Amino acid sequence: MAPSTSVRSVRPARVHRAWLTAAVAGAAIVTAGAFTTVPGLLVTPLHEEYAWERGQIALAASVNMVLFGLTAPFAAALMDRIGARRVVVGALLLVAAGALLTGVMTRPWQLVAYWGVLIGLGSGCLTMTFAAGVTARWFDRRRGLVTGALGSASHLGQLLFLPLLAWSVDRFGWRPPVVTLALVALAVAAAVFLLLRDHPADAGVKPYGAAEFVPRPAPAPGAAMRTLKVLARAARSGPFWLLAGMFALCGASTNGIMWSNWAPAAHDHGMRATAAASLLSLVGVFSALGAVLAGWLTDRFDPRRLLTVCFAVRALTLLALPLVFASSVTAPMLLFVAVYGLVDVATVPPVIELARRVYGADGPVVFGWTNAAHQLGAGASAFLGATARDVFGTYDVVWAALAAGCLVAALLAPAVRVRAHRPALREPGGLP
C-alpha cells in the first residue's frame, strides 16, 4: 500500500523545497561530470609511469562510456523501487571507491575494473535520466527550465574541474587529483543523504506549481524487469526509434567526436593543444547556457520544432568548421564555438519532454534507453572519426558526414507523434 500522507502535513515555505532538491541533484550530476574529464588527463602519466600501452588505458574509458549509457535506464527504475536518495548515495560511494582504488592500482586490468566498471556504473546513475525523474516528481511547472539547468550540470562539472585537474596533474602528478575527486564525491554523498528526499510527499509539500497534494506512490517491484519491459513496450512504438535515432546522431555529433577528436583535428591545423583545450572549455560554457535556454523554450514551444532548429543549426556549424579552423584563435572560430556550444546540449530538454508526453510515467525510463543510444552513437563516432582521419588524412569528411546526420535528425523530429500516452507499466501489487 502507498504510505498515507494527509493534507495537514503540507507546510507552506518561502522557498519551495523542490528548488533545494534540484540544487542537490545538480551537485551530484556536477560531481559525476567531473569524472568524465579525467581519463584524457591520465593517458600520458600512466603511460610514462607504468609503460602501459595507450590502448590498454583507453579501454577503461571505453568500458566507462558503455556502462555509463547502459546503467541509466536501470537506475531510473531502481529509483522508482527504493528511492532516488539511496541510489544516488550508492552511486557516489561507487564513484569514490573507484577513484580511491585507482590511486593504488598496479595492473591495467585494475584500471578497467576501477575506473571503467565502478565509476562507469556509479556515474551512469547520475545522468539526465536521474534529472528527468527529479523534475517529473518535484515540478509541475518550470519542468523545461529545471531540466535544462540540470542538463547543463554535467558540462558545468567538466568546465569547473577540467582546468583545475589539468593544472594539478602537471604540478603534483595524477594521484592527488584523483583522490581529491573521491573526497568531493564523498562530501556530495553526505549532502544527498541529508538533504535529498525521494518525493514531495516525504517533505510534506506539493510539487512546485501543482494545485493539489500528490501522495507518494507505492514502490514499483522488479526494477530491472520493469526496465526491460518498458524497453520492449516502447520498442514496439515508432516514437521510441525516432527519439533513439535522433539521440544517437546527437551523441555522434557532440561529445562522441569532440572529446576524443577535437584536439587531433586542431593539431592538423597547427593549433596548439592549450588553445584547443581552451576552446573546448568555452564550448562547455555555451553548452550550459544553451541547455538552460532550451529548457525555457521547451516550456513555451513545441519540442519537436525546437529539436529541428537545434539539429539544423548544428549541421551548419559542422559544415562551416573546416572553413574556420586555423592555427590560432580567430573571430570566426570563436563564433563557431559560441553557436555550436549553444546547441550542444540544447537537445536534451525537448527529448525528455517528448518522452514524458508520449510515454507518461515511463518517460524517464524510456529516456534512459534513448540516452543509451546517445552513448552508443558517441562511442561509434569517436572510433570511426579517428579511423576516417587515418584513411582520408583529414577530418573534413568527418565534419561533412556528421552534418548530414544532423540534417537527418532535423527531419526526424517533426515525425514524432505526440498523443495521449498509455498508462505506465504496472507490476503485480504495485503502481506505475
Side-chain angles (χ1 to χ4, degrees):
M1 292 179 62
S4 60
T5 307
S6 60
V7 177
R8 60 179 176 83
S9 63
V10 180
R11 300 186 301 270
R14 187 182 298 270
V15 177
H16 198 282
R17 182 63 182 263
W19 297 109
L20 174 62
T21 300
V24 175
I29 296 173
V30 165
T31 303
F35 280 85
T36 65
T37 66
V38 176
L41 301 176
L42 296 183
V43 174
T44 299
L46 292 178
H47 176 71
E48 293 175 350
E49 180 173 339
Y50 295 110
W52 295 345
E53 295 182 3
R54 297 180 187 274
Q56 292 177 306
I57 301 171
L59 179 60
S62 299
V63 172
N64 181 291
M65 180 175 292
V66 171
L67 289 179
F68 182 91
L70 293 178
T71 301
F74 292 96
L78 187 60
M79 289 177 189
D80 287 344
R81 179 71 178 95
I82 65 173
R85 182 169 66 163
R86 293 181 181 180
V87 175
V88 174
V89 170
L92 289 169
L93 292 178
L94 271 181
V95 166
L100 291 173
L101 289 170
T102 299
V104 297
M105 68 183 179
T106 57
R107 296 288 187 270
W109 69 264
Q110 293 172 329
L111 178 63
V112 175
Y114 303 153
W115 203 275
V117 177
L118 293 183
I119 294 180
L121 289 173
S123 59
C125 297
L126 305 173
T127 65
M128 278 308 302
T129 306
F130 163 53
V134 169
T135 305
R137 295 184 191 97
W138 282 87
F139 290 86
D140 193 64
R141 294 175 53 234
R142 302 289 187 265
R143 278 178 170 165
L145 178 63
V146 176
T147 299
L150 293 178
S152 69
S154 180
H155 281 252
L156 182 61
Q158 297 162 359
L159 174 66
L160 290 176
F161 285 94
L162 180 58
L164 294 174
L165 292 171
W167 174 83
S168 182
V169 169
D170 289 340
R171 189 174 181 87
F172 304 109
W174 65 270
R175 285 184 177 84
V178 167
V179 173
T180 300
L181 274 183
L183 296 177
V184 170
L186 291 174
V188 175
V192 169
F193 180 78
L194 294 173
L195 301 175
L196 188 66
R197 295 295 178 268
D198 297 327
H199 194 275
D202 296 341
V205 298
K206 298 180 292 186
Y208 180 80
E212 298 179 355
F213 183 82
V214 179
R216 176 174 176 165
M225 184 58 65
R226 174 175 178 258
T227 300
L228 295 174
K229 288 183 177 179
V230 168
L231 172 63
R233 177 176 173 176
R236 295 196 294 269
S237 65
F240 172 79
W241 294 106
L242 291 172
L243 293 174
M246 282 190 292
F247 234 36
L249 292 169
C250 178
S253 57
T254 53
N255 59 321
I257 192 68
M258 291 300 179
W259 285 101
S260 57
N261 289 279
W262 173 260
H267 182 267
D268 286 349
H269 291 269
M271 183 178 291
R272 298 182 61 181
T274 52
S278 298
L279 288 174
L280 195 57
S281 294
L282 194 57
V283 168
V285 174
F286 285 99
S287 294
L289 295 175
V292 175
L293 178 61
W296 183 82
L297 292 172
T298 300
D299 288 331
R300 290 159 174 79
F301 299 99
D302 188 337
R304 295 169 296 185
R305 294 183 180 179
L306 188 57
L307 282 172
T308 296
V309 172
C310 288
F311 280 117
V313 171
R314 189 185 297 173
L316 293 175
T317 59
L318 291 172
L319 282 175
L321 182 56
L323 303 177
V324 302
F325 242 141
S327 59
S328 60
V329 179
T330 62
M333 194 68 198
L334 290 175
L335 180 61
F336 164 83
V337 166
V339 178
Y340 176 87
L342 286 173
V343 296
D344 182 20
V345 193
T347 55
V348 172
V351 169
I352 288 179
E353 177 62 16
L354 286 174
R356 185 191 69 82
R357 292 186 185 183
V358 176
Y359 299 103
D362 288 336
V365 179
V366 173
F367 175 75
W369 285 112
T370 64
N371 193 57
H374 183 282
Q375 292 302 107
L376 291 175
S381 178
F383 173 75
L384 294 176
T387 302
R389 167 62 179 83
D390 291 337
V391 172
F392 298 103
T394 177
Y395 276 98
D396 289 357
V397 65
V398 177
W399 308 129
L402 291 175
C406 289
L407 289 176
V408 171
L411 295 175
L412 291 177
V416 178
R417 297 182 61 186
V418 179
R419 58 186 182 276
H421 62 78
R422 300 176 183 177
L425 191 63
R426 294 177 179 267
E427 297 291 346
L431 294 176

